[in-house]
Amino acid sequence: MIKEIVPLKITEVPTGTRVFDWKVPNEWQIRDAYIADAKETRLVDFKRHNLHVVNYSAPVDAWMTLGELKPHLHTLPEQPDLIPYRTSYYQKTWGFCLSHNDLESMDDQQKYRVVIDSTLAPGSLTYGEAYLPGSSQKEILLSTHVCHPSLANDNLSGVVVAAYLARELQRLDTRFSYRFLFVPATIGTICWLSNNKSHLQNIHGGLVLAGVGGPGPFTYKRSRAGNTPIDRIATRVLKDRRSHVVQDFVPMGYDERQYCSPGVNLPVGSLSRAPYDTYPEYHTSADNPTFLTPEQLFESLAVVSDVVAALEHDLVFESNRPFGEPMLSKYNLYSTGELGQDEKDIQQALLWLLNFSDGQHSLIDIAERSGLPMHAMLEAAKKLEQHDLLRRSNEDRCE
Amino acid sequence: MIKEIVPLKITEVPTGTRVFDWKVPNEWQIRDAYIADAKETRLVDFKRHNLHVVNYSAPVDAWMTLGELKPHLHTLPEQPDLIPYRTSYYQKTWGFCLSHNDLESMDDQQKYRVVIDSTLAPGSLTYGEAYLPGSSQKEILLSTHVCHPSLANDNLSGVVVAAYLARELQRLDTRFSYRFLFVPATIGTICWLSNNKSHLQNIHGGLVLAGVGGPGPFTYKRSRAGNTPIDRIATRVLKDRRSHVVQDFVPMGYDERQYCSPGVNLPVGSLSRAPYDTYPEYHTSADNPTFLTPEQLFESLAVVSDVVAALEHDLVFESNRPFGEPMLSKYNLYSTGELGQDEKDIQQALLWLLNFSDGQHSLIDIAERSGLPMHAMLEAAKKLEQHDLLRRSNEDRCE
Amino acid sequence: MIKEIVPLKITEVPTGTRVFDWKVPNEWQIRDAYIADAKETRLVDFKRHNLHVVNYSAPVDAWMTLGELKPHLHTLPEQPDLIPYRTSYYQKTWGFCLSHNDLESMDDQQKYRVVIDSTLAPGSLTYGEAYLPGSSQKEILLSTHVCHPSLANDNLSGVVVAAYLARELQRLDTRFSYRFLFVPATIGTICWLSNNKSHLQNIHGGLVLAGVGGPGPFTYKRSRAGNTPIDRIATRVLKDRRSHVVQDFVPMGYDERQYCSPGVNLPVGSLSRAPYDTYPEYHTSADNPTFLTPEQLFESLAVVSDVVAALEHDLVFESNRPFGEPMLSKYNLYSTGELGQDEKDIQQALLWLLNFSDGQHSLIDIAERSGLPMHAMLEAAKKLEQHDLLRRSNEDRCE
C-alpha cells in the first residue's frame, strides 16, 4: 500500500542471517487463533481482532482448564474493556490477549479448546526504502517502524506521515537527498544498518517518526550527540508552536536506540506527539483509528516539513556589507509605519541576518540567538540574497 | 559648548562622501516653520518648540485645508498634551509635530498657511572627538550621539556624562588611553568608523552612553561577542548596585549597532538607565530637562567611573606565596574581632585574590567567582601588592 | 588511640621549622588553670572543662579585679549556659572561657586569683599518617584535623570516621592507594604539604573530613578546580541520598584552604554534615558527645565508603557490541515481568552503559547523564563485564 504513495525498494533478509549481535528469526505466519468453549463457540477469536493472539505465538491445539490456560492469557485489569498488545519474539511461547471483562466471564468448571494455527519457519524479514536524490549526497533519514500491524498511532501514523512527506519531497528540488525507511523495529533497523554500514557517513541528520497521529504535545527526543543540526532545528521548529517537549537522548524508546548505538552514533532524533508508553491507549486496542484525527496527522506532516525546510536552508551566509549597517532604505528593505507581527519579525530578521552573517553562524545559529520564528528567518534570508546583501559562505557546514 | 569642558577635535565630512554603504546627505538648515490661520496667527510655531518641525523637512510655503495638511501632521493621540519627535532623513518630505489637543482645535472649514523655511544643501556632517592618551595605546571608547538637539534624556544626558567623565579622566594617569566621540547617530558613527578603520584594533572596550539622566534601573546591553572584559566588568559594577538589567546584544538600539556590525565587531556595549523606546517620555516633548535630575546624572557618572576604575585594575596577578595560605597576621592583614561589612568584604577579598592569583585569573575573573563588591577587590589587591604578596603577571591580558 | 584502629606513622616537626610562609611555633603544655576567689574557691577550673582556658595561653599567676580580668574573659551572652572555644596561636596572650551565667555571678568588689600553669617552649608539631598501598601509585587522600581536643563534632567525628574507613580499606584489594592524615589544622597541613611536595602529583582526589557526626544534611564543598572526579563522584553519591548540599570552593573553611592553595591546587573537596560555623553548637561546650549519634557517624562512614567504591570503579569502558543494541536476552540480561525499583534501575543501567561505553565516557560520566543510582551503575557494570559485553579501555583516566 505504501508503494501507491511513493516508490519503494523492498529488501528481504533471510532467516538466520547474522546481523551484528543478532540473527534474523523465523518468519511467522498466522492463519487462525481462538479459544472456544465446549460447544465450539469462539470466546476469543483472532478473526475478530488481530490483537487477540500474542504476536509470534507458536502453534497450539489443546483442551485445557482455565487454570491451565491462565498463564497464557494477558489482560489489563485496570482497563477492563481493552485488549492488550503483546509480543514474544525471542522467547518461544504462545498466548492470547483479551479484555479483562471477557476473562471474568470465563468459567473454572469447564474445559476450553485452544487453537493457534501459526507457522514459525525459515523465511525472511522485509523492509522498504525510498531514496530521493538531491543535489548533495548528504542525506536526511526518515525512519518509521511497520511491525505493529494493528495499532493506529503506534505506528500507522508514522508510516502515513513518512509516506506523504516522501510524496511531497519527490516534487521538489532539494539540496539534501532523502531516505525513507519502513522497517520492523529493532531487528529490521539492525538489518538495515548492517547492510549499509559503509554508507552511514552520508547521513547529515534524521528523524524516527512514531506516534504522530494522536493528541498530545509534540515531543522531540534529541540524538545521542544532542546538539547536531537536526536537534537544534527540530527544537526551534517546535518552539515556534505552542506547547511542546524536548527531551535528551536516553537509550530506551524506538529505533533511535539503534541509530544512536555507540558504533553507529548517527545524528538521528525522534519525533512523537505523546511519547511511547505515556498514554493510556498505548499498546492496547484503544490505539485504533478513532484515536487519530486527520488534523493531528496533517499537523505532524507540517512540522516535519518545516524541519525539512529549515534543514534545506540552514546555510552559512556572509554579509556583502559587513562594515556598519547597510542602508536598508536604498534596497526598499526598511519598513516604516504600522507593521503586523509577521512584518515586524521579518524586519528584525533582516537585521539579525545582516549582523550575524559573518561566515561563522548558520541560519539555525542566528534563529536560536534571535528567537525569531523560523519562517521569518527564511523569508528574510531570501530577500537579502535577492538584493545581493548576503552570499553563501564556502564554509557551508553540511558538506 | 562641550569644548568648554573637554578639548575637542572637530571633523567635518562633506556632503556626498561615500561611507561604507552610505553617502553623507545634504546639510539641513532650519530658520523658521509654522502653521498659521487666515489671520496669520501662528498655531504651531518652531520658534516656540524645536520639536514642531519634522527634522530634515524640505521647505514649503502654501495655503492648504486641514484635509490636505493632515498627512503632514504628527500627534500622539494617547498622550494628547505631548509633541512627538519625528525625523525623515532619507525620505524627502516635510511635516509638523504637535500635541493632539492642538490638532483637535483646528478647523476643517478654513485654510492654513504652512511655512517651513529650511535649506537642504551640500554642507557637511560634524563630529567631535576627545583623545586622552594613557600609558598604553590600547584604548577605551566612549561614544554618545548628539543628533537630538531638543531631547534631554535622549541624549543631552549622554553628552553631559561623557564630557564630565572626560574632564575627570584628564586629571588622572591612566593605563588605557580614552577616546570620547560626540557623533550624530548612525551616519556619524559610520563616518567615524570609515575614517578610522585601521585604528579599530586598538580598542580594548567601549560603551555607548545614551539615556543616562532619567529615572529607571541601569541597563547594560552586552557587546556582540558578549563576554569581553567590558561586558563582564560593566555587569559586575551594576551587580554591586541594587536593581539593574543586563541584556544580550540585539542588532537594534543605538550606535552599538554600528560598533558591533560584523566587519567591525568591537567589544562595545551600551549603558542606559531605561533603555530606548521603553518609557512614555521617549521621543516626545516630555523628554525635557524636568525629566532629568542632577542625582541621576551624577549616579550615571559614578557608574561609568566605576567601570573605568575596574577596567584600569583588571590585571592578572600571581601570588608570591602560592604554597598554602600565607600567614596573614605576619603582614597585619589578619583582622579579628567585630568587623563592619566593608572590612569583612576586604578580608575575604584578600583570601580570594591570594587563592586565585595564579596567572590564570584576572581581577574580574576573581570578582565574578567571589561575588564580592568590586571596591573591596580593588582595595584588597592594593594591600596585597603593597605587601609584595601579589605581583603583576606578564600575562597582562590587555596588551 | 587512633593507632589501635589503624597503624600510624607519626611525624614530629620541630619548633622553628620554616614551612612555606610559616614557622612551626612553640609547643604548648597546659597543666592547670583556674580563677579563684579570695577563699581560694575555684570559680573557673580547667580541670573541670578543657575549654575553660584559651588554647595556647601564656602562663599567668596574679590577683586582679574583675575589671582588670574582663579583657581576658570570653563568654557567649546569647548562649549564656555555654562555654565558648577560643584559641590564640600567633598573638601572645592568655584568657579564660566561661559561661555568661558564671561571669554574671562574679563580683566587682573583690579580687580574683588568676592562674594559668602553662609552658610555651620549643618542642614539635605532631601529625599521624596511615598509608594503604593499592595496585596503583595514584592515591586518594583523606585528611582530618586533630587540633580541637575537646570538641566532638569538630572534629573527633572526622577522626573517628577516617580511622574506621582506614580499618575497612585495609581489608580490601584496592585500585588506588589511600593516605589518611591526622593533622593539626592549617599549620599541620602546611607542614605535611611542605614535607611531601614532590609527592603531590600522585593524588587523584581527596576529602577533608570534618563535622561528620552531628545532625544536618551532608554538605560537599567542591575542590578549587570544581569538576574533578572526586567532585563529580561525591556530588553523585550525595544525590542518591535525600537532602544534601553541594557548594563551590571558597577560600574559607577547613584544610581544603591549604590543599587548594594555588601552588598546590589538589583535587580535594570537603565533606561535612552541617558545615563549619553554621550550627549553634559550633565552637562551644555544646559540641560534646551528646551532639553526635552512632547512626550519624555510621551514615557518614557509609557515604565516604560509597565515594571510595565509586572512585575505585570509575573506569572507562568500551562496548564489545557497539553496532546496534546487543541482544540482551541471549545473555539472560533482559528482564521482563514486574520488576522492583532496584531491578528496573539495573535494567536501565545496562542500556546506559552499553550505549555510552565508547571509550569516551567513564562510569561517573554515564551515571551523571543517566541519573541512575550509583549502586545500580556499579552492579550493571559488573554484569556486563562478566558477560564480556564491556572491556576496560586503555584510556583509563586515573593513570
Side-chain angles (χ1 to χ4, degrees):
Chain A
M1 289 171 69
I2 303 169
K3 270 185 164 172
E4 294 168 20
I5 305 170
V6 58
L8 276 192
K9 185 183 111 192
I10 304 291
T11 301
E12 303 283 349
V13 185
T15 293
T17 307
R18 293 193 172 275
V19 283
F20 299 146
D21 198 39
W22 302 65
K23 200 156 63 175
V24 173
N26 280 329
E27 190 168 334
W28 182 61
Q29 302 288 348
I30 175 79
R31 287 168 295 272
D32 197 7
Y34 60 89
I35 303 172
D37 63 15
K39 300 171 197 158
E40 292 278 350
T41 304
R42 291 184 175 203
L43 306 173
V44 174
D45 187 354
F46 173 67
K47 296 204 162 131
R48 281 205 299 270
H49 206 300
N50 286 348
L51 295 184
H52 277 316
V53 67
V54 169
N55 272 234
Y56 232 67
S57 278
V60 65
D61 187 345
W63 284 91
M64 45 182 78
T65 62
L66 186 55
E68 291 163 320
L69 184 50
K70 261 192 173 166
H72 294 274
L73 299 185
H74 304 273
T75 68
L76 297 166
E78 298 185 3
Q79 296 168 295
D81 293 329
L82 304 184
I83 308 164
Y85 167 62
R86 292 284 182 279
T87 65
S88 183
Y89 294 130
Y90 299 103
Q91 187 170 3
K92 191 167 177 176
T93 184
W94 59 266
F96 285 88
C97 301
L98 63 161
S99 75
H100 201 66
N101 290 341
D102 281 353
L103 174 62
E104 296 282 326
S105 70
M106 287 173 77
D107 178 350
D108 272 346
Q109 307 310 319
Q110 57 166 300
K111 287 207 155 189
Y112 290 96
R113 174 92 185 274
V114 179
V115 172
I116 296 180
D117 177 14
S118 68
T119 318
L120 276 167
S124 65
L125 177 153
T126 308
Y127 64 77
E129 200 169 353
Y131 179 72
L132 311 177
S135 48
S136 163
Q137 285 210 317
K138 289 281 172 191
E139 67 183 54
I140 307 297
L141 183 74
L142 286 304
S143 176
T144 192
H145 62 275
V146 294
C147 50
H148 299 189
S150 305
L151 298 176
N153 192 44
D154 180 14
N155 191 30
L156 273 188
S157 71
V159 173
V160 164
V161 168
Y164 277 83
L165 178 69
R167 193 175 71 163
E168 195 180 291
L169 283 173
Q170 265 187 296
R171 302 196 198 112
L172 302 175
D173 284 334
T174 58
R175 183 162 70 111
F176 292 110
S177 300
Y178 288 81
R179 188 178 301 274
F180 291 81
L181 295 183
F182 300 88
V183 285
T186 308
I187 180 73
T189 305
I190 285 171
C191 284
W192 183 84
L193 285 169
S194 176
N195 282 345
N196 292 276
K197 250 180 101 173
S198 66
H199 174 81
L200 302 179
Q201 68 201 37
N202 279 343
I203 294 175
H204 178 71
L207 287 177
V208 169
L209 296 175
V212 291
F218 283 100
T219 300
Y220 178 70
K221 178 181 161 185
R222 294 190 180 98
S223 76
R224 186 174 181 268
N227 200 27
T228 68
I230 183 72
D231 295 311
R232 297 170 62 203
I233 284 171
T235 300
R236 199 66 199 72
V237 165
L238 290 190
K239 274 196 185 153
D240 291 344
R241 304 199 162 240
R242 277 169 312 261
S243 65
H244 69 277
V245 177
V246 176
Q247 301 175 326
D248 277 330
F249 175 75
V250 299
M252 287 73 76
Y254 287 116
D255 276 333
E256 66 276 9
R257 282 160 24 217
Q258 313 311 326
Y259 297 119
C260 295
S261 58
V264 174
N265 199 19
L266 290 173
V268 172
S270 157
L271 186 74
S272 301
R273 300 199 64 133
Y276 93 108
D277 208 2
T278 62
Y279 46 98
E281 297 83 359
Y282 178 78
H283 278 197
T284 73
S285 51
D287 183 3
N288 60 48
T290 66
F291 184 54
L292 313 187
T293 68
E295 291 73 20
Q296 287 157 1
L297 285 164
F298 268 117
E299 200 188 2
S300 296
L301 181 59
V303 163
V304 185
S305 299
D306 285 352
V307 169
V308 163
L311 279 166
E312 286 284 321
H313 293 91
D314 184 32
L315 297 158
V316 176
F317 293 99
E318 288 186 66
S319 169
N320 287 323
R321 303 286 185 283
F323 301 105
E325 285 176 336
M327 188 180 171
L328 290 183
S329 55
K330 259 176 36 180
Y331 309 99
N332 272 321
L333 290 174
Y334 186 69
S335 307
T336 52
E338 292 288 315
L339 302 181
Q341 189 59 47
D342 271 13
E343 291 162 307
K344 274 189 207 165
D345 287 345
I346 292 169
Q347 187 70 37
Q348 295 208 346
L350 293 169
L351 297 171
W352 280 99
L353 281 162
L354 285 166
N355 192 293
F356 285 95
S357 288
D358 54 2
Q360 309 285 321
H361 298 90
S362 76
L363 201 94
I364 179 65
D365 292 336
I366 306 175
E368 283 180 349
R369 185 147 175 175
S370 71
L372 292 170
M374 194 50 101
H375 71 85
M377 298 298 294
L378 296 176
E379 186 66 22
K382 201 166 70 182
K383 287 184 184 222
L384 291 170
E385 272 197 289
Q386 282 164 356
H387 286 88
D388 199 27
L389 286 166
L390 293 187
R391 66 179 184 278
R392 297 185 182 201
S393 168
N394 293 328
E395 295 297 330
D396 184 355
R397 292 184 177 181
C398 92
E399 298 308 320
Chain B
M1 289 173 68
I2 303 169
K3 271 186 162 168
E4 295 168 19
I5 304 169
V6 57
L8 275 192
K9 186 182 106 190
I10 304 291
T11 302
E12 303 284 349
V13 186
T15 293
T17 308
R18 292 192 173 276
V19 284
F20 300 143
D21 198 41
W22 301 66
K23 198 156 63 175
V24 173
N26 280 329
E27 189 167 336
W28 182 60
Q29 302 288 349
I30 175 77
R31 287 168 295 274
D32 197 6
Y34 60 87
I35 302 171
D37 63 16
K39 301 170 196 157
E40 291 278 350
T41 304
R42 292 185 174 201
L43 307 173
V44 174
D45 187 354
F46 173 68
K47 296 208 163 128
R48 282 206 298 269
H49 205 299
N50 286 349
L51 295 185
H52 276 316
V53 66
V54 169
N55 272 233
Y56 232 68
S57 278
V60 65
D61 187 346
W63 284 91
M64 44 182 81
T65 62
L66 186 56
E68 291 165 318
L69 184 51
K70 262 193 173 164
H72 294 274
L73 299 185
H74 305 273
T75 68
L76 297 166
E78 297 186 4
Q79 296 167 292
D81 294 329
L82 303 184
I83 310 165
Y85 167 63
R86 292 284 184 278
T87 66
S88 184
Y89 293 130
Y90 299 103
Q91 187 170 2
K92 192 170 177 174
T93 185
W94 59 266
F96 286 88
C97 301
L98 62 161
S99 75
H100 200 68
N101 290 341
D102 282 352
L103 174 61
E104 296 282 327
S105 70
M106 288 173 78
D107 178 350
D108 272 344
Q109 308 309 320
Q110 59 166 301
K111 285 207 156 190
Y112 291 97
R113 173 90 186 278
V114 179
V115 172
I116 296 180
D117 177 14
S118 68
T119 320
L120 274 166
S124 64
L125 176 154
T126 308
Y127 64 77
E129 198 168 355
Y131 179 72
L132 311 177
S135 47
S136 163
Q137 285 210 319
K138 288 282 171 189
E139 67 184 52
I140 308 297
L141 183 75
L142 286 305
S143 177
T144 191
H145 63 274
V146 295
C147 50
H148 299 189
S150 305
L151 298 177
N153 192 44
D154 180 14
N155 190 27
L156 273 187
S157 70
V159 173
V160 165
V161 168
Y164 279 83
L165 178 69
R167 192 175 72 164
E168 196 180 292
L169 283 173
Q170 266 188 295
R171 303 197 197 112
L172 302 175
D173 285 334
T174 57
R175 183 162 70 111
F176 292 110
S177 299
Y178 287 82
R179 187 177 302 274
F180 291 82
L181 295 184
F182 301 88
V183 285
T186 307
I187 180 73
T189 305
I190 285 171
C191 284
W192 183 84
L193 285 168
S194 175
N195 282 345
N196 291 275
K197 250 181 100 171
S198 66
H199 175 80
L200 303 179
Q201 69 202 35
N202 279 343
I203 294 175
H204 177 72
L207 287 177
V208 170
L209 295 175
V212 291
F218 283 101
T219 299
Y220 178 70
K221 179 181 160 184
R222 293 190 180 98
S223 75
R224 186 174 181 268
N227 200 28
T228 68
I230 183 73
D231 296 310
R232 297 170 61 201
I233 284 171
T235 300
R236 198 65 200 74
V237 164
L238 291 190
K239 273 196 186 155
D240 291 344
R241 303 198 164 242
R242 277 170 311 260
S243 63
H244 69 276
V245 177
V246 176
Q247 300 175 326
D248 276 331
F249 176 75
V250 299
M252 287 74 75
Y254 287 116
D255 276 333
E256 66 277 8
R257 281 161 23 218
Q258 313 310 326
Y259 297 119
C260 296
S261 58
V264 174
N265 197 19
L266 290 173
V268 172
S270 157
L271 186 74
S272 300
R273 300 200 63 131
Y276 93 107
D277 209 1
T278 61
Y279 48 96
E281 296 84 358
Y282 178 78
H283 278 197
T284 75
S285 52
D287 183 4
N288 60 49
T290 66
F291 183 53
L292 312 186
T293 68
E295 290 73 19
Q296 286 156 3
L297 285 164
F298 269 117
E299 199 188 2
S300 296
L301 181 58
V303 162
V304 186
S305 299
D306 284 352
V307 169
V308 163
L311 279 165
E312 287 282 321
H313 293 90
D314 184 32
L315 297 158
V316 176
F317 293 99
E318 289 186 65
S319 170
N320 286 323
R321 302 285 185 285
F323 301 105
E325 286 176 335
M327 188 181 171
L328 290 183
S329 55
K330 258 175 39 178
Y331 310 99
N332 272 321
L333 291 173
Y334 187 69
S335 307
T336 51
E338 291 288 315
L339 302 180
Q341 188 59 46
D342 271 14
E343 291 162 305
K344 274 188 208 167
D345 287 346
I346 292 169
Q347 186 71 37
Q348 294 208 345
L350 293 169
L351 297 172
W352 280 99
L353 282 162
L354 285 167
N355 192 293
F356 285 96
S357 288
D358 54 3
Q360 308 286 319
H361 298 90
S362 76
L363 202 93
I364 179 65
D365 293 334
I366 307 174
E368 283 180 349
R369 184 147 175 175
S370 71
L372 292 170
M374 195 50 102
H375 71 85
M377 297 299 294
L378 297 176
E379 186 66 23
K382 200 165 72 181
K383 287 184 184 220
L384 291 171
E385 271 197 290
Q386 282 165 355
H387 286 88
D388 200 27
L389 286 166
L390 292 188
R391 66 178 184 278
R392 297 187 183 201
S393 167
N394 292 329
E395 295 297 329
D396 184 356
R397 292 184 178 181
C398 93
E399 297 307 322
Chain C
M1 290 173 66
I2 303 169
K3 271 186 163 170
E4 295 168 18
I5 305 170
V6 57
L8 276 192
K9 186 183 109 191
I10 303 292
T11 302
E12 303 283 348
V13 186
T15 292
T17 307
R18 292 191 174 278
V19 283
F20 299 145
D21 198 40
W22 301 66
K23 198 157 64 176
V24 174
N26 280 329
E27 189 168 334
W28 183 60
Q29 302 288 347
I30 175 77
R31 287 168 295 274
D32 197 6
Y34 60 88
I35 303 171
D37 62 16
K39 299 172 197 155
E40 292 277 352
T41 304
R42 291 184 174 203
L43 306 174
V44 174
D45 187 354
F46 172 67
K47 295 203 163 132
R48 281 206 300 270
H49 205 300
N50 286 349
L51 295 184
H52 275 317
V53 67
V54 169
N55 272 232
Y56 232 67
S57 278
V60 64
D61 187 345
W63 286 90
M64 45 181 78
T65 62
L66 186 56
E68 291 165 317
L69 184 51
K70 262 195 174 164
H72 294 274
L73 299 186
H74 304 274
T75 68
L76 297 166
E78 297 186 5
Q79 297 168 293
D81 294 330
L82 303 184
I83 308 165
Y85 167 62
R86 292 286 184 276
T87 66
S88 184
Y89 294 129
Y90 300 103
Q91 187 169 4
K92 191 169 178 175
T93 185
W94 58 266
F96 286 87
C97 300
L98 63 161
S99 76
H100 201 67
N101 290 340
D102 282 352
L103 174 62
E104 297 282 325
S105 70
M106 288 173 78
D107 179 348
D108 272 345
Q109 308 308 320
Q110 58 165 301
K111 286 207 157 191
Y112 290 96
R113 174 89 186 278
V114 179
V115 172
I116 296 180
D117 176 15
S118 69
T119 319
L120 277 167
S124 65
L125 177 154
T126 308
Y127 64 77
E129 198 168 355
Y131 179 72
L132 311 178
S135 47
S136 163
Q137 285 211 317
K138 289 281 171 190
E139 67 184 53
I140 307 298
L141 184 75
L142 286 304
S143 177
T144 191
H145 62 275
V146 295
C147 50
H148 299 189
S150 305
L151 298 176
N153 191 44
D154 181 13
N155 192 28
L156 273 188
S157 70
V159 173
V160 165
V161 168
Y164 278 83
L165 178 68
R167 193 175 71 165
E168 196 180 291
L169 283 173
Q170 265 187 297
R171 301 196 198 114
L172 302 174
D173 284 334
T174 58
R175 183 162 71 110
F176 291 110
S177 300
Y178 287 82
R179 187 178 302 273
F180 291 82
L181 295 183
F182 300 87
V183 285
T186 307
I187 181 72
T189 305
I190 285 171
C191 283
W192 184 83
L193 285 168
S194 176
N195 283 345
N196 291 276
K197 250 180 101 172
S198 66
H199 174 80
L200 302 179
Q201 68 201 36
N202 279 343
I203 294 175
H204 177 72
L207 287 176
V208 169
L209 296 175
V212 290
F218 283 101
T219 300
Y220 178 70
K221 178 180 161 186
R222 293 190 181 97
S223 75
R224 186 174 182 268
N227 201 26
T228 67
I230 184 73
D231 296 311
R232 298 170 62 202
I233 284 171
T235 301
R236 198 65 200 74
V237 164
L238 291 190
K239 272 195 187 153
D240 291 344
R241 304 198 163 240
R242 277 169 311 261
S243 64
H244 69 276
V245 177
V246 176
Q247 300 175 327
D248 276 331
F249 176 75
V250 299
M252 287 73 76
Y254 287 116
D255 276 332
E256 66 276 8
R257 282 160 24 218
Q258 312 312 325
Y259 296 118
C260 295
S261 58
V264 174
N265 198 20
L266 290 173
V268 171
S270 157
L271 186 74
S272 300
R273 301 200 62 134
Y276 93 108
D277 210 0
T278 61
Y279 47 98
E281 296 83 358
Y282 178 78
H283 277 197
T284 73
S285 51
D287 182 4
N288 59 49
T290 66
F291 183 53
L292 312 187
T293 67
E295 290 73 21
Q296 287 157 1
L297 284 164
F298 268 117
E299 199 188 1
S300 296
L301 181 59
V303 162
V304 186
S305 299
D306 284 353
V307 169
V308 163
L311 280 165
E312 286 284 321
H313 293 91
D314 184 32
L315 297 158
V316 176
F317 293 99
E318 288 186 67
S319 169
N320 287 323
R321 303 283 185 285
F323 301 106
E325 286 175 335
M327 188 181 172
L328 290 183
S329 55
K330 259 178 37 182
Y331 310 97
N332 271 322
L333 291 173
Y334 187 68
S335 307
T336 51
E338 292 288 315
L339 302 180
Q341 189 59 46
D342 271 13
E343 291 161 305
K344 275 189 207 166
D345 288 345
I346 293 169
Q347 186 70 38
Q348 295 208 344
L350 292 169
L351 297 172
W352 280 99
L353 281 162
L354 284 167
N355 192 294
F356 285 96
S357 288
D358 55 3
Q360 308 286 320
H361 299 90
S362 76
L363 201 93
I364 179 64
D365 292 335
I366 306 174
E368 283 180 349
R369 184 147 177 176
S370 71
L372 292 171
M374 195 50 102
H375 70 85
M377 298 297 294
L378 297 176
E379 186 65 22
K382 201 166 70 182
K383 287 183 185 223
L384 291 170
E385 272 197 289
Q386 281 165 356
H387 286 88
D388 200 28
L389 286 166
L390 292 188
R391 66 178 183 278
R392 297 185 182 201
S393 168
N394 292 329
E395 294 297 330
D396 183 356
R397 292 182 177 182
C398 93
E399 298 307 322

